[in-house]
């Protein structure tokens, strides 16, 4: 099924007004709704519409967007013309490979596009990484087998076991797929050339890692998302750890934002607070954007100034945002339980 979608701007730039003796008015943030309810603050009990709990956004080179649904059990696509299309999943939660529209997923979290156009999906409650091939229109399993566990490091990903994988992201060089294997308290990586899987951070124990410790030998609280910055560093976001950590090119880990306590304090990053953060992305300038789920906010970590601030959305309210993505100066947000996707100019 396809839906014709209109992108609805919620704010437009205001001309600067200059009045003698009065300060100029700053332009409000430019926010656009791409799919879903267009009210700035939808009702708390907003029902699913064209989208049902979108959890992430990822892009084709031409700007088309892939959107996995958590409760909806579908993979959706918004083309460059704004048309919303249902491409995979039958809308029933379950575990079924095969023809894309007849396949079943169980609580999809996000998607990563491979260089050849295939899409890998973190299928959370199936403990698996699934693949959608847009050419063959088929869904297959590439890692995990539907049963929670930890196994397979050093061998084929197809024989590995995962435990509630949350997020999957490609490294900037496109050679590895990073998996936040939260139930195993590890970050794992699949080599796309060989198909082997390994642990790159975490030991399976639940504890705050000591700053400067070797990531492979250190515990993690609960890695929810991981992404590389193109400079040899890897950011790891911890949900109940309420912190952003960074693994340097030397393999050592340190905390760069958050105190570990829940809160919504901006300021110097190591004294600022987060509340159950769920996902992250990077802008071209190295700034990290964080979906701060428990605060219903998007936060901005600037590694140059070592500060954490809140992204200004004007009157637009979020409800448990789970996904963020950055492209061409726009920050895209999966406003998950308002059942919509929006973007804000940065």
């Amino acid at each position: 099924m396809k839906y014709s979608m209109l992108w609805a701007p919620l704010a437009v730039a205001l001309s600067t007004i200059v009045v003698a003796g009065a300060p100029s008015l700053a332009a409000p943030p430019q926010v656009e709704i791409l799919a879903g309810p267009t009210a700035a603050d939808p009702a708390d009990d907003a029902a699913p519409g064209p989208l049902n709990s979108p959890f992430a956004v990822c892009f084709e080179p031409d700007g088309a967007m892939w959107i996995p649904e958590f409760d909806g059990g579908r993979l959706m696509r918004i083309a460059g013309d704004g048309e919303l299309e249902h491409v995979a999943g039958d809308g029933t939660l379950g575990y079924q490979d095969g023809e894309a529209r007849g396949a079943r997923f169980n609580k999809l979290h996000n998607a990563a596009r491979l260089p050849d156009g295939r899409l890998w999906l973190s299928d959370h409650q199936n403990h698996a990484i699934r693949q959608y091939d847009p050419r063959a229109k088929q869904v297959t399993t590439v890692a995990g087998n539907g049963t929670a566990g930890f196994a397979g490091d050093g061998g084929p990903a197809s024989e590995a076991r995962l435990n509630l994988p949350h997020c999957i992201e490609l490294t900037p060089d496109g050679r590895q797929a990073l998996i936040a294997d939260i139930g195993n308290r590890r970050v794992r990586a699949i080599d796309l050339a060989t198909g082997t899987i390994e642990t790159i951070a975490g030991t399976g124990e639940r504890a705050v890692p000591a700053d400067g410790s070797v990531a492979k030998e250190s515990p993690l609280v609960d890695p929810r998302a991981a992404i590389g910055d193109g400079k040899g560093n890897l950011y790891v976001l911890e949900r109940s750890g309420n912190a952003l950590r960074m693994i340097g090119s030397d393999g050592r880990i340190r905390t760069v934002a958050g105190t570990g306590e829940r809160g919504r304090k901006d300021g110097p990053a190591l004294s600022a607070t987060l509340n159950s953060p769920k996902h992250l992305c990077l802008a071209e300038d190295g700034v990290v954007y964080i979906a701060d789920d428990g605060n219903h906010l998007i936060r901005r970590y600037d590694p140059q100034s070592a500060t954490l601030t809140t992204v200004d959305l004007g009157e637009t309210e979020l409800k448990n945002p789970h996904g963020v993505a950055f492209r061409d100066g726009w920050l895209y947000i999966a406003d998950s339980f308002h059942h919509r996707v929006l973007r804000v100019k940065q």
Side-chain angles (χ1 to χ4, degrees), residues 48-55 67-76 86 88-94 101 103-109 123 336-337 339:
L51 292 174
N52 184 350
S53 58
F55 259 41
I67 306 170
E69 296 181 322
F70 182 71
D71 290 324
R74 301 176 300 176
L75 175 64
M76 308 295 284
H86 168 201
D90 70 358
T92 303
L93 300 182
R101 289 289 293 271
R104 290 183 177 177
F105 307 107
N106 196 352
K107 307 294 188 181
L108 291 176
H109 269 262
D123 194 359
S336 302
F337 291 106
H339 309 291

Side-chain angles (χ1 to χ4, degrees), residues 81-167:
D81 60 4
E83 188 173 77
L84 180 66
E85 180 183 3
H86 168 201
V87 295
D90 70 358
T92 303
L93 300 182
Y95 187 16
Q96 177 66 49
D97 282 341
E99 187 276 327
R101 289 289 293 271
R104 290 183 177 177
F105 307 107
N106 196 352
K107 307 294 188 181
L108 291 176
H109 269 262
N110 81 319
R113 183 187 183 277
L114 275 60
D116 63 6
R118 291 175 295 154
L119 213 66
W120 281 11
L121 305 159
S122 56
D123 194 359
H124 178 65
Q125 291 194 5
N126 279 329
H127 313 288
I129 303 300
R130 313 287 292 284
Q131 174 180 282
Y132 168 66
D133 186 333
R135 291 180 294 271
K137 299 189 185 308
Q138 293 284 313
V139 171
T140 54
T141 299
V142 296
N145 60 8
T147 302
F150 174 70
D153 272 6
S158 58
E159 299 177 8
R161 293 179 69 183
L162 307 171
N163 190 347
L164 299 172
H166 268 72
C167 290

Side-chain angles (χ1 to χ4, degrees), residues 277-323:
K278 295 293 178 68
H279 194 235
L280 76 171
C281 69
L282 278 92
E284 290 86 349
D285 59 2
V287 166
V288 181
Y289 289 93
I290 298 170
D292 193 4
D293 169 70
N295 282 324
H296 311 285
L297 299 172
I298 306 300
R299 313 293 291 280
R300 183 182 188 274
Y301 168 68
D302 184 342
Q304 295 299 316
S305 62
T307 56
L308 188 71
T309 55
T310 298
V311 172
D312 182 10
L313 294 174
E315 296 182 355
T316 304
E317 299 289 337
L318 304 177
K319 186 175 182 181
N320 301 111
H322 278 72

